[in-house]
Amino acid sequence: MADDGVNTKVEAVSKATTETIELRTEDGGVFDVDKPVAMEFLILKSFYEDEGRVFDKTSIRLPNVKQLELSKVIEYCTRALEFGAKSAAAAGDKDAERMVRQEREGFEAEFVDELSNEMLKELILAVNFLDIKEMLDFLIRSVANRIRNRSVAYVRQFFDIENDFTPQEEDQIHQENAWAFEGVDAD
């Protein structure tokens, strides 16, 4: 994994291929990423496919992505490719498909449980910049799960939203919409 030092290298290279692309984060991290993993980033895929560029050892700067976020993105995309290959191999075998799905769900649950709320939000920004739809959908579902049945105060704190209601206005809203505050989990 990358650490906080400048020019940190992380190898995300599978045994099947040696083609890599060098990615540089905004905070100076350097990552050599396996081509199939890098092609999960639509921003890179379009760079190579739409521009007709040759996939070479070019270093690509990612101005909106930090080391920690990129290491998590690489981890997720590497595992997503593995799960995709396992799913393809299990096609037609219901038990094998179920096991792959359960393994993926277990990985995703563990992956998101490790993330603080701040890290989750930073990761969403990075994934949105890199244009990885599958991972973005997963992270947004994770945010929805974290704020489901939470108090207004918790949601405001989660998204760093300042309360601009007076206490009287807030009480009035609570009274008019009491149903919306029923069954709210403790923060």
Side-chain angles (χ1 to χ4, degrees), residues 12-36:
V13 182
S14 72
K15 295 168 183 70
T17 182
T18 58
E19 277 189 295
T20 63
I21 183 169
E22 186 176 273
L23 302 177
R24 294 183 176 272
T25 62
E26 78 172 23
D27 55 351
V30 178
F31 295 75
D32 285 328
V33 181
D34 183 20
K35 180 181 177 181

Side-chain angles (χ1 to χ4, degrees), residues 108-140:
E108 288 181 341
E110 185 178 314
F111 182 88
V112 79
D113 285 347
E114 294 175 358
L115 303 175
S116 68
N117 290 344
E118 274 310 304
M119 179 61 179
L120 181 57
K121 292 185 285 184
E122 289 296 320
L123 198 51
I124 287 171
L125 294 175
V127 169
N128 185 54
F129 173 76
L130 295 169
D131 199 4
I132 308 169
K133 184 176 178 2
E134 179 182 350
M135 187 174 184
L136 185 60
D137 289 346
F138 161 67
L139 293 172
I140 290 170

